[in-house]
């Protein structure tokens, strides 16, 4: 195989792909689709991943626990590098940077790492000893925001190796009947009349919903007594960094503040349900916390809201 042939081949290694839900998963799904249009792309990822493209090869690994995924992905990535001869290896996050490094060595190719925030600052000593060096050694580190680029530089990544590539979302087709979609959303969840403040995201402390319910929602209700806070999401089951039951924390905060009847947790709707939610929303609430140990590197849901025509109110925290 010639060098020119290998330059038309890529290897993507990632643990973050749909149907696992989250902004990073949607982003890496888009990255996979874009790579497949430009390169003959092999992918090492979670077993059962849903892709909108047809890769040259897909090597699936058990998603959980993370250590099992990493062990399986390391073996499959090295094998893919030997068989596929990629001219580029891309790690979808810092978590798989060591795997990309090994595969790139096997293929004699450069490797890049897309970093998102937490994968730079994760405090676990094993991570910092074995994973951060693989990020620092990458030929290219792609950061999702200026904020994340700053984290990478402070973590020892050479500034000249860092490039910023903001995530994007597709502007959806207009909802044929906006009023019907909004009405259907209210009916589906038995929501009373009044303005809808919509929030979406994994139920983790970083998202700040419990704090918003405690410190902001009562003041909102003084001005808008019929307002309803609707939060779509769920407890992340596959996250590397696990947290407590944030859904229960939101419910406790609502009860303590006396606003429980105004707070609605609706789980994770499908794409059609999410479109109806945006149609019904009068505004998007994004109260992410400024947590150096668990930063919001970018915040794709704010782009989703903008694409749907919903204004976002957010704290100036992290990459937001």
């Amino acid at each position: 195989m010639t060098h020119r042939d290998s330059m038309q081949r890529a290897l993507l290694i990632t643990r973050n792909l749909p149907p696992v839900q989250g902004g990073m998963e949607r982003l890496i799904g888009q990255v996979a689709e874009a790579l497949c249009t430009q390169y003959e792309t092999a992918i090492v990822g979670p077993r059962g991943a849903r892709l909108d493209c047809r890769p040259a090869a897909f090597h699936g690994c058990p998603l959980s626990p993370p250590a099992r995924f990493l062990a399986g992905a390391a073996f499959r990535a090295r094998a893919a590098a030997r068989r596929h001869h990629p001219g580029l290896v891309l790690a979808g996050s810092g978590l798989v940077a060591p795997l990309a490094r090994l595969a790139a060595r096997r293929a004699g190719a450069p490797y890049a790492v897309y970093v998102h925030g937490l994968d730079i600052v994760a405090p676990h000593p094993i991570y910092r000893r074995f994973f951060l060096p693989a990020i620092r050694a990458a030929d290219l580190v792609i950061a999702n925001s200026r904020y994340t680029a700053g984290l990478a530089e402070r973590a020892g990544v050479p500034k000249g190796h860092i490039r910023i590539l903001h995530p994007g979302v597709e502007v959806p087709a207009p909802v044929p009947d906006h009023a019907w979609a909004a009405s259907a959303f209210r009916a589906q969840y038995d929501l009373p009349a009044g303005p809808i403040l919509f929030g979406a995201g994994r139920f983790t402390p970083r998202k700040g919903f419990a704090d918003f319910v405690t410190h902001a929602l009562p003041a909102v209700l003084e001005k808008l007594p019929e307002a309803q806070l609707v939060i779509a999401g769920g407890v992340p089951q596959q996250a590397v960094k696990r947290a407590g039951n944030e859904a229960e924390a939101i419910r406790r905060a609502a009860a303590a503040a006396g606003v429980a009847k105004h707070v609605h947790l609706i789980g994770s709707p499908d794409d059609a349900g999410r479109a109806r939610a945006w149609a019904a929303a009068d505004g998007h609430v994004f109260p992410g916390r400024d947590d150096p140990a668990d930063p919001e590197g970018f915040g794709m849901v704010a782009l989703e809201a903008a694409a749907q025509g919903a204004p976002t109110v957010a704290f100036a925290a992290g990459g937001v």
Side-chain angles (χ1 to χ4, degrees), residues 133-152:
I135 299 174
R136 296 187 187 110
D139 298 278
L140 178 66
V141 172
I142 306 167
N144 61 359
S145 66
R146 290 192 301 272
Y147 173 80
T148 301
L151 293 179

Side-chain angles (χ1 to χ4, degrees), residues 12 23 59 61 78 109 120 123 135 145 149 201 217 253 264 274 294 312:
L12 170 64
H59 308 276
C61 310
R78 184 172 173 81
I120 292 291
I135 299 174
S145 66
L217 187 57
H264 312 268
R274 204 171 172 99
D294 189 11
T312 290

Side-chain angles (χ1 to χ4, degrees), residues 7 15 19 21 38 63-64 70 86 125 141 174 208 221 227 232 234 236-237 243 246 255 278 284-285 302:
M7 290 304 292
R15 188 174 179 264
Q21 294 191 345
Q38 300 293 326
L63 180 62
S64 294
L70 289 173
V141 172
L221 293 172
Q237 301 298 322
E246 187 65 11
W278 288 121
H284 170 229
V285 177

Side-chain angles (χ1 to χ4, degrees), residues 1-285:
M1 178 175 296
T2 67
H3 175 70
R4 180 179 177 83
D5 291 334
S6 71
M7 290 304 292
Q8 300 303 315
R9 296 170 178 257
L11 172 62
L12 170 64
I13 307 169
T14 181
R15 188 174 179 264
N16 303 99
L17 283 172
V20 178
Q21 294 191 345
M24 190 187 302
E25 285 72 25
R26 292 191 295 276
L27 168 63
I28 300 302
Q30 293 170 352
V31 169
E33 186 176 1
L35 279 175
C36 287
T37 65
Q38 300 293 326
Y39 298 90
E40 188 177 338
T41 302
I43 298 175
V44 175
R47 192 174 293 162
R50 188 180 68 238
L51 296 167
D52 293 327
C53 62
R54 187 182 295 274
F58 182 85
H59 308 276
C61 310
L63 180 62
S64 294
R68 187 180 178 194
F69 172 84
L70 289 173
F75 175 79
R76 288 168 176 80
R78 184 172 173 81
R82 183 179 67 251
R83 297 171 187 165
H84 192 64
H85 303 287
L88 170 68
V89 179
L90 174 63
S93 72
L95 178 68
V96 293
L99 282 57
R101 188 180 192 180
L102 290 172
R105 284 179 177 173
R106 180 64 182 83
Y111 75 99
V113 182
Y114 206 148
V115 293
H116 308 272
L118 178 59
D119 50 358
I120 292 291
V121 302
H124 196 286
I126 293 177
Y127 185 90
R128 302 200 71 77
R129 180 171 181 180
F130 293 103
F131 290 72
L132 267 185
I135 299 174
R136 296 187 187 110
D139 298 278
L140 178 66
V141 172
I142 306 167
N144 61 359
S145 66
R146 290 192 301 272
Y147 173 80
T148 301
L151 293 179
E153 188 176 352
R154 289 193 290 276
V157 177
K159 186 174 182 179
H161 289 190
I162 301 172
R163 297 293 184 273
I164 298 172
L165 179 61
H166 298 301
V169 297
E170 291 187 8
V171 177
V175 177
D177 190 335
H178 193 278
W180 176 88
S183 177
F185 179 77
R186 285 185 183 273
Q188 181 178 357
Y189 296 104
D190 196 23
L191 299 173
I196 290 180
L197 307 178
F198 183 59
R202 293 168 170 165
F203 289 165
T204 64
R206 180 181 75 188
K207 299 299 182 181
F209 289 121
D211 290 340
F212 178 83
V213 167
T214 297
H215 300 293
L217 187 57
V220 171
L221 293 172
E222 286 183 8
K223 299 291 186 182
L224 298 169
E226 296 183 341
Q228 308 296 322
L229 175 63
V230 181
I231 307 173
V235 178
Q237 301 298 322
Q238 309 296 347
V240 174
K241 185 180 177 68
R242 302 300 292 271
N245 190 340
E246 187 65 11
E248 187 56 35
I250 295 169
R251 293 188 182 99
R252 288 197 305 268
V259 299
K261 67 179 183 180
H262 295 271
V263 178
H264 312 268
L265 276 57
I266 64 169
S268 300
D270 59 17
D271 290 345
R274 204 171 172 99
R276 290 193 293 271
W278 288 121
D282 294 284
H284 170 229
V285 177

